[in-house]
Amino acid sequence: NKILLQTIAYPNDGFGLASTLDAMFLPDAGRDEHTDFFVNSAVFDLLGTAIENMGLVGKKWPAQTGFRDMVCWVLAVALLWTQKFASGAQYSTSSPESYNNTVQEELYEWSKGVVS
C-alpha cells in the first residue's frame, strides 16, 4: 500500500498539505459555499462535472440508492492516478449533502458515539 500511495498521492510532508493550509489561512476561505472546500488538484473538478453531465445533480434517487457514491468511487480512483498532472490547491464544490443541516447533525451525533 505504501508504494502505491507514494506513486499516486502527494507526500504528506509537502504539497499534500497545500489544501489544508489554504483552508486554514486564506483570508476568504469559508466566506460562502463556494470557498469552503479545497482540493489539491484541478482534476477533481472533473468528478463534479461528470456527475452534472450524467444528470444526477438535484435528484434524490442517485444518493439514496448509492448509485452516485458508486460512480464517484470509480471516478475518484481513476482521478487519483492523474491528480499529479494538474496539481494546484484550489476551491472546489462539495456535495449537496454537506450543506444539509439534518445530515450534519446526524453525522455529529454518530461521531460523538464513535470517538468517545
Side-chain angles (χ1 to χ4, degrees):
N1 285 343
K2 184 177 180 181
I3 293 171
L4 174 67
L5 287 176
Q6 287 174 337
T7 304
I8 64 173
Y10 296 113
N12 63 357
D13 62 348
F15 187 76
L17 295 173
S19 62
T20 301
L21 294 174
D22 281 355
M24 290 169 51
F25 298 116
L26 282 178
D28 60 342
R31 180 187 68 236
D32 57 30
E33 69 273 2
H34 302 291
T35 62
D36 66 347
F37 189 72
F38 286 81
V39 293
N40 280 335
S41 178
V43 78
F44 289 102
D45 285 338
L46 296 174
L47 182 61
T49 302
I51 296 298
E52 287 176 16
N53 289 342
M54 293 173 74
L56 302 179
V57 174
K59 295 185 172 56
K60 291 183 180 183
W61 72 265
Q64 291 172 339
T65 62
F67 180 75
R68 189 191 69 187
D69 293 339
M70 180 193 66
V71 170
C72 287
W73 273 105
V74 169
L75 290 173
V77 168
L79 294 175
L80 276 174
W81 289 96
T82 59
Q83 70 177 339
K84 287 187 175 182
F85 299 113
S87 60
Q90 65 182 38
Y91 299 117
S92 189
T93 54
S94 184
S95 68
E97 289 79 20
S98 65
Y99 303 105
N100 182 322
N101 290 333
T102 303
V103 172
Q104 290 174 9
E105 191 62 34
E106 289 172 356
L107 179 60
Y108 175 71
E109 292 300 323
W110 171 82
S111 66
K112 285 194 315 187
V114 173
V115 174
S116 60

